[in-house]
Amino acid sequence: MTDTEPAATRVLHPPVGYRLAASVRALTFSPYDPCARVVAGAFWWATRTPDGPATLALRPVGGELLAEGYGPGAEHVLARADAIAGLRDDLAGFTELAGAHPLVARLAREHRGLRMPATGQVFPHLLRAVFEQKVTVKEAYRAYAATVRHFREPAPGPLQPLLLPPAAAAVAATPYWVFHPFGVEQRRADTLRRAAALADRLERSADAADATRRLTAIPGIGPWTAAEVVRVAYGDADAVSVGDYHVPNTVAWALAGEPRGDDARMLALLEPFRGHRGRVCLLLGAAGIRAPKYGPRAPIRSFARF
């Protein structure tokens, strides 16, 4: 078998109306993400597993989803392919909760094919989240992409170039000044290196709550970063990015018609949806809802706290 042929495959059965690209969007930083992208309708995702490097490809075929695994870790990613595609996302009770607000109820209907992925991995998402702390999206992506290319390791499979995310041990062993040319100051570099040194412990977290406790115990990682990680690593539908520059305003505008809101107001408005508060924020984003702009435009997802 050549590297261009999958080591194993699996057929998944998504619900009617399932939207692959929308569901896996959280796993890509941009259309040019060196580790994950959508090409010709198929989603390609490179990762590291206990069995070695792997690439997962998800292809819509008729009403089904064909999962293909490449590399030594192929069986590992195939075992989680349904979760990575968002097909383990539990929407139980959300329809009833969504009915508490007409806009949320409408968005739940219109975006019923949107699912939340759960990769089961912490460090690759933490790498991205730390780079997103207190900077613009453009600056964060530049740091992320430059770091991935610095540790450049091709992913298995036919889609090239596709790179593996950096190994945690390699990041932990890298001096902080190596990240400086990528636009990463010492504070974020040291945060990332501390987290990388604890990556094995983080990956052993029992669930999203346990991961949040372990993450926020690391200096430089606060509730915003932890929420960004567990929402994707564990598919935590209740994870809210407290401390975000934009999300409180979006929630206040969408749910109460108020152009500005703080974290406390956002959480109060989201309380009726507890258990799915992060899902409500996801739906607002998917619908393109934004609070009115006052003053200079700030890039989306910028200037978050940690």
Side-chain angles (χ1 to χ4, degrees):
M1 181 177 296
T2 67
D3 196 43
T4 60
E5 299 174 334
T9 62
R10 179 183 175 192
V11 177
L12 307 176
H13 306 283
V16 175
Y18 169 76
R19 296 161 54 200
L20 172 63
S23 296
V24 300
R25 186 167 292 133
L27 305 184
T28 64
F29 205 146
S30 86
Y32 311 103
D33 191 321
C35 302
R37 66 180 69 117
V38 176
V39 178
F43 174 62
W44 296 81
W45 182 68
T47 191
R48 297 177 184 275
T49 79
D51 301 324
T55 296
L56 174 68
L58 297 172
R59 305 176 185 273
V61 180
E64 298 177 327
L65 198 60
L66 177 63
E68 301 172 341
Y70 299 85
E75 294 288 353
H76 184 92
V77 292
L78 283 180
R80 284 200 63 87
D82 57 337
I84 294 166
L87 301 183
R88 296 187 195 175
D89 186 13
D90 185 5
L91 279 78
F94 181 59
T95 299
E96 291 75 15
L97 291 178
H101 194 286
L103 174 63
V104 178
R106 176 171 65 82
L107 295 181
R109 292 191 303 271
E110 293 178 353
H111 297 274
R112 63 184 181 279
L114 176 61
R115 295 291 187 270
M116 298 182 68
T119 65
Q121 299 184 350
V122 172
F123 184 71
H125 307 302
L126 181 57
L127 175 80
R128 169 178 160 177
V130 169
F131 285 144
E132 290 184 280
Q133 293 177 349
K134 297 186 177 182
V135 298
T136 66
V137 172
K138 183 177 181 180
E139 291 168 326
Y141 177 73
R142 173 176 175 262
Y144 164 78
T147 299
V148 171
R149 293 182 177 116
H150 173 79
F151 293 99
R152 190 179 195 93
E153 188 174 344
L159 183 66
Q160 296 299 329
L162 188 68
L163 303 179
L164 292 167
V171 173
T174 301
Y176 80 86
W177 46 262
V178 170
F179 299 94
H180 192 264
F182 310 152
V184 182
E185 79 291 346
Q186 185 173 355
R187 182 193 65 80
R188 281 185 296 157
D190 284 346
T191 296
L192 182 61
R193 293 168 63 246
R194 281 192 293 267
L198 297 171
D200 286 346
R201 183 172 181 272
L202 294 173
E203 299 295 352
R204 292 195 297 270
S205 300
D207 52 27
D210 186 30
T212 298
R213 286 191 294 270
R214 296 185 187 207
L215 284 165
T216 53
I218 300 172
I221 296 179
W224 182 90
T225 303
E228 292 292 300
V229 172
V230 301
R231 188 164 50 248
V232 181
Y234 293 93
D236 185 355
D238 201 45
V240 181
S241 297
V242 173
D244 196 271
Y245 184 84
H246 296 278
V247 175
N249 296 335
T250 297
V251 171
W253 176 248
L255 302 186
E258 301 165 2
R260 291 295 178 265
D262 57 15
D263 286 334
R265 181 57 172 156
M266 172 183 69
L267 292 175
L269 290 168
L270 290 173
E271 183 58 30
F273 311 101
R274 178 169 288 276
H276 294 273
R277 294 176 298 173
R279 190 186 306 281
V280 171
C281 295
L282 177 65
L283 288 172
L284 297 178
I289 295 173
R290 300 285 184 269
K293 303 290 185 182
Y294 295 150
R297 181 178 181 182
I300 297 170
R301 299 277 309 278
S302 66
F303 308 121
R305 297 203 290 271
F306 61 88

